[in-house]
Amino acid sequence: MADFSSPSLRRAPPRGDDRLFLTERKLRQGAELMFFAYRDFTEDADKLLTGRDYGRAHHRTLHFIGRQPGISVAGLLEILAITKQSLARVLKPLIADGLVRSETGADDRRKRLLYLTEEGRAFEGQLSLAQRERLTNAFREAGPEAVEGFRRVMALMIDSDRRDDILDFVYSNADAGNVETKE
Amino acid sequence: MADFSSPSLRRAPPRGDDRLFLTERKLRQGAELMFFAYRDFTEDADKLLTGRDYGRAHHRTLHFIGRQPGISVAGLLEILAITKQSLARVLKPLIADGLVRSETGADDRRKRLLYLTEEGRAFEGQLSLAQRERLTNAFREAGPEAVEGFRRVMALMIDSDRRDDILDFVYSNADAGNVETKE
DNA sequence: CAATTTACGTCAGGAGTGTTGACATAAAAA
DNA sequence: TTTTTATGTCAACACTCCTGACGTAAATTG
C-alpha cells in the first residue's frame, strides 16, 4: 500500500497519481499473470489425463502419494483440502486400476496407508515430467534471482495461518525419490 | 535436464548427486508452490461467489469485460480460451441479472459488445478487492525485486507461442479504470 | 445478387471436481 | 463397555468445460 500520509506523495500530484496508478496496475497484472500462468502450467499434464477417465484431481493424488509414500487417507485429505467423498471418487479408481496400493496400518489397523505401485509411479512420472519441463525452462530463462523472487511471492500468497505448515511440507525431503517404501 | 554424461557429475558422486537432487527438488517445490499458492489465491473471491449461483468462470468473465469494456464475445472467448457454449452459460445469467450489458456493434452489427453495468462493476470490484489485498500483502512483504522475479517466472510459464500476445494484453493499459465507455 | 463466411445463440449429452448430509464398520481409546 | 477415530459409501446437487449439431443474422465475396 502506498503511504498517503507521506509528504512527498502529497505535494507532488502527478508523481503521486502516477505511483498509485502503477500500483493498481501491477496488482491487476499480477492477478492476470496468476491466471494465465497457472492455466498453461496445468495444461501439459491435463492433456495426458484426458481420455483416461482421469483428471487433475487424480494427478494431485498421485503426486502427493508419491511424495509421501505410506501417507494415510487423513493425511492426504489435509493436504488436498477436499472432502473424503471427493477423494474417494478419485482414489477408488486409482486403486482399482492398480496405480495405488492401499495397505492396512501396522500399528493402527484403522489407517489405510497409500503407496504408488510400479505402474502408478510410472504414470506419475509422466505427468510430473510435463510440468517439470515447463518449470525447468522458465526457471532457467528467468535466472536464479528471479526464481528466488518467485518462491518468495508464491509462499506469501498462501494463507498466513497455514503457511508455515505448507512450507514445512513443501521444503521437507520426505520421500522425494518416490521409492515404494514397503516395509 | 541434468546432463548425466557430464564428467563432473560422474566423478564426484556426493557433490553431483547433491546438485541433481537439489534441482529435482526445486522443480517439485516450484510445482507444489504453484498448487498451494493458486488455491489460496482464488479462495477469497470464491467465497464471495458461493451462494450466488456464480462461480470462478463468472468472476473471470466480469474481470475481462471490466478490463476491456466493449470487448466482443469472440474477444472474450480468445482470452478465456473456452468454448462459446461454456461462455454462454456464464454470460447469459450475468446479463439476465443486470451485471453485464450486451450491445449490438455499431460498425459490425453481428458483434455483441459487452460492458459491465453499474452493478456489475460494483460486484467485480468486490471480487478483485479480495485478490488485490492478498497480492498487495504478498508483494509488499516480498519486496520489489522478488515481485520482478515473480513476474518473470510467471511470464515464462505461459505457452511460448502465445506468450507475447498474452503479455501484450496483460501489460496494456486498455481500460484499467473500468469506466463504462459507452459511446 | 447469390453463395459463402463470420459472429453469435442454443439444445443435448457427457466428464470431472467439489460439496453437504446421512449412514455404516472396524479398531483404538477412554 | 462406551465413545471416538479412521475410513468407506450412497445420494443429490452445483459449477465448469467439452463435443456435436443446428439455426440466424449480417458481412463479405465472386
Side-chain angles (χ1 to χ4, degrees):
Chain A
M1 277 299 171
D3 183 9
F4 292 103
S5 63
S6 161
S8 64
L9 288 178
R10 280 198 178 166
R11 61 171 162 73
R15 181 69 178 280
D17 276 23
D18 190 50
R19 278 189 180 169
L20 175 61
F21 184 61
L22 280 174
T23 299
E24 290 285 325
R25 271 183 58 190
K26 281 209 172 182
L27 292 171
R28 176 188 54 67
Q29 289 165 4
E32 290 180 357
L33 282 177
M34 285 291 283
F35 167 62
F36 291 118
Y38 194 77
R39 186 176 67 184
D40 287 1
F41 170 69
T42 58
E43 185 188 42
D44 311 301
D46 283 352
K47 280 181 189 163
L48 292 172
L49 268 333
T50 55
R52 284 218 196 199
D53 277 12
Y54 292 154
R56 212 173 280 182
H58 299 81
H59 180 192
R60 288 197 285 258
T61 301
L62 289 174
H63 171 89
F64 287 116
I65 294 176
R67 174 88 161 75
Q68 280 203 331
I71 190 173
S72 68
V73 172
L76 209 43
L77 285 177
E78 196 184 342
I79 291 173
L80 295 170
I82 57 177
T83 60
K84 62 177 174 178
Q85 295 92 323
S86 295
L87 178 58
R89 191 185 22 224
V90 168
L91 198 51
K92 202 154 55 168
L94 287 176
I95 293 173
D97 295 346
L99 299 182
V100 170
R101 184 164 51 84
S102 174
E103 224 173 79
T104 299
D107 43 314
D108 189 336
R109 293 174 49 76
R110 291 172 304 180
K111 289 188 179 174
R112 296 291 172 269
L113 308 186
L114 305 170
Y115 302 89
L116 296 185
T117 65
E118 192 68 40
E119 195 185 342
R121 218 173 315 132
F123 186 46
E124 198 281 324
Q126 278 193 343
L127 293 172
S128 66
L129 180 61
Q131 291 191 330
R132 217 156 46 218
E133 280 177 345
R134 185 178 292 263
L135 271 178
T136 300
N137 292 331
F139 282 5
R140 178 158 35 78
E141 287 188 48
E145 290 175 26
V147 172
E148 185 49 36
F150 160 79
R151 286 156 67 110
R152 288 183 56 153
V153 171
M154 294 305 267
L156 288 164
M157 212 90 90
I158 299 169
D159 277 359
S160 56
D161 47 336
R162 47 178 159 172
R163 181 149 61 219
D164 289 348
D165 288 340
I166 296 283
L167 291 182
D168 279 351
F169 174 83
V170 170
Y171 293 120
S172 71
N173 285 347
D175 203 319
N178 278 357
V179 184
E180 193 175 12
T181 45
K182 174 66 189 315
E183 63 287 323
Chain B
M1 281 299 152
D3 182 9
F4 291 103
S5 64
S6 161
S8 64
L9 286 176
R10 280 197 179 168
R11 62 174 162 71
R15 181 67 178 281
D17 277 22
D18 191 49
R19 278 189 180 168
L20 174 62
F21 186 59
L22 281 174
T23 298
E24 290 286 325
R25 270 183 59 191
K26 281 209 171 181
L27 292 172
R28 175 188 54 68
Q29 289 165 5
E32 289 180 357
L33 282 176
M34 283 292 282
F35 167 61
F36 291 118
Y38 193 77
R39 186 176 68 185
D40 287 0
F41 171 69
T42 58
E43 186 188 41
D44 311 301
D46 283 352
K47 280 181 188 162
L48 291 172
L49 267 334
T50 55
R52 284 215 196 201
D53 276 13
Y54 292 153
R56 210 173 282 181
H58 298 83
H59 179 193
R60 288 197 285 258
T61 302
L62 289 174
H63 171 89
F64 287 116
I65 294 176
R67 175 85 163 74
Q68 281 202 332
I71 190 173
S72 68
V73 171
L76 209 43
L77 285 177
E78 196 184 343
I79 290 172
L80 294 170
I82 57 177
T83 60
K84 62 177 175 178
Q85 297 92 323
S86 294
L87 177 58
R89 188 186 26 227
V90 167
L91 198 51
K92 201 153 56 167
L94 287 175
I95 293 173
D97 296 346
L99 299 182
V100 170
R101 184 163 51 82
S102 174
E103 225 174 77
T104 299
D107 43 314
D108 190 335
R109 292 175 47 78
R110 290 173 305 181
K111 289 188 179 173
R112 297 290 172 268
L113 309 186
L114 305 170
Y115 303 88
L116 295 185
T117 65
E118 191 69 40
E119 195 185 342
R121 218 171 315 129
F123 187 47
E124 198 281 323
Q126 279 193 343
L127 293 171
S128 65
L129 180 62
Q131 291 191 330
R132 218 157 45 219
E133 281 177 346
R134 186 178 290 264
L135 271 178
T136 300
N137 292 331
F139 282 5
R140 176 159 37 75
E141 288 188 47
E145 290 175 27
V147 172
E148 184 50 34
F150 160 79
R151 286 155 67 109
R152 288 182 56 152
V153 171
M154 295 305 267
L156 288 165
M157 213 91 89
I158 300 170
D159 278 358
S160 56
D161 46 337
R162 46 178 160 173
R163 181 149 60 221
D164 288 347
D165 288 340
I166 296 284
L167 292 182
D168 279 351
F169 174 83
V170 170
Y171 293 120
S172 71
N173 285 345
D175 203 318
N178 277 357
V179 183
E180 193 175 11
T181 45
K182 174 64 188 317
E183 64 289 322

